[in-house]
Amino acid sequence: MMCNTILEIYDRGGVKSSEFLKAMIRLEKTMEPSLSLRGINIKNYSQKLMDCAELLILRRKEDIVGISAFYANNLQDRTAYLSFIAIMPDIVGLGLGRKLLDESEKRAMALGMGKMELEVLKNNLHAIDFYKKMGYTDYGKSSDHSKYMVKNLG
């Protein structure tokens, strides 16, 4: 399965909005709780990512099976912000989430960023463990339900 999955790095115009939205809907349903259940309008959120974020797309044949989206617009602090990362459950454990995050970090560095920050739900132990293995450390509390994590990229 891994040999049929390719990582594609897109600029903002490299993927169709309708295709991206369909993939976001499929991927957000794998999250617990889903973004929709958290009150996020997926259509608006997807369009914001398409318009403003750096996007990395995992494809298996024609289907998008993973997405990473981050912002690299904090030039003063040189901090990128990972807004979204998810892969389909059937490819978890193949190292593709790691590859997606690695490539996001490399891209952020190429854009002049020195750190990558993210927010994660405190009860999402699988994600927290993944981020820690990837070198992220706790950075502070975002809310009663989530926390920030950060990684120095240099």
Side-chain angles (χ1 to χ4, degrees):
M1 190 175 311
M2 189 148 112
C3 58
N4 292 330
T5 306
I6 10 179
L7 179 66
E8 301 178 31
I9 301 173
Y10 285 101
D11 62 19
R12 290 185 180 106
V15 65
K16 293 178 185 175
S17 294
S18 59
E19 177 187 27
F20 188 74
L21 176 59
K22 286 193 323 192
M24 285 291 293
I25 290 168
R26 277 195 325 272
L27 286 165
E28 76 95 19
K29 287 179 183 176
T30 69
M31 300 176 155
E32 193 57 46
S34 69
L35 297 176
S36 303
L37 289 176
R38 291 184 240 169
I40 296 171
N41 179 306
I42 297 303
K43 184 176 182 180
N44 292 344
Y45 182 58
S46 295
Q47 191 59 55
K48 180 181 177 186
L49 293 178
M50 288 281 304
D51 291 343
C52 305
E54 300 295 326
L55 301 176
L56 283 81
I57 307 293
L58 275 171
R59 284 190 188 273
R60 181 175 46 213
K61 298 183 181 176
E62 297 299 316
D63 295 329
I64 295 174
V65 294
I67 295 173
S68 172
F70 69 92
Y71 297 99
N73 54 5
N74 184 343
L75 302 177
Q76 183 176 3
D77 294 334
R78 295 182 49 239
T79 301
Y81 184 82
L82 184 67
S83 183
F84 184 88
I85 186 166
I87 61 174
M88 292 303 290
D90 65 326
I91 61 170
V92 170
L94 299 177
L96 295 170
R98 175 180 295 273
K99 182 175 174 85
L100 194 56
L101 186 54
D102 277 341
E103 291 298 323
S104 298
E105 293 168 357
K106 287 177 189 172
R107 177 93 172 132
M109 285 177 32
L111 293 168
M113 301 292 109
K115 293 186 279 188
M116 179 80 82
E117 186 178 298
L118 59 90
E119 183 178 1
V120 62
L121 292 174
K122 290 178 184 175
N123 67 352
N124 191 345
L125 301 179
H126 179 75
I128 291 169
D129 184 52
F130 170 72
Y131 294 131
K132 284 184 177 179
K133 286 179 184 172
M134 295 295 293
Y136 286 78
T137 57
D138 292 352
Y139 176 61
K141 180 177 158 183
S142 170
S143 71
D144 289 338
H145 305 289
S146 64
K147 65 179 177 175
Y148 290 119
M149 296 182 82
V150 68
K151 178 179 179 179
N152 289 321
L153 299 177

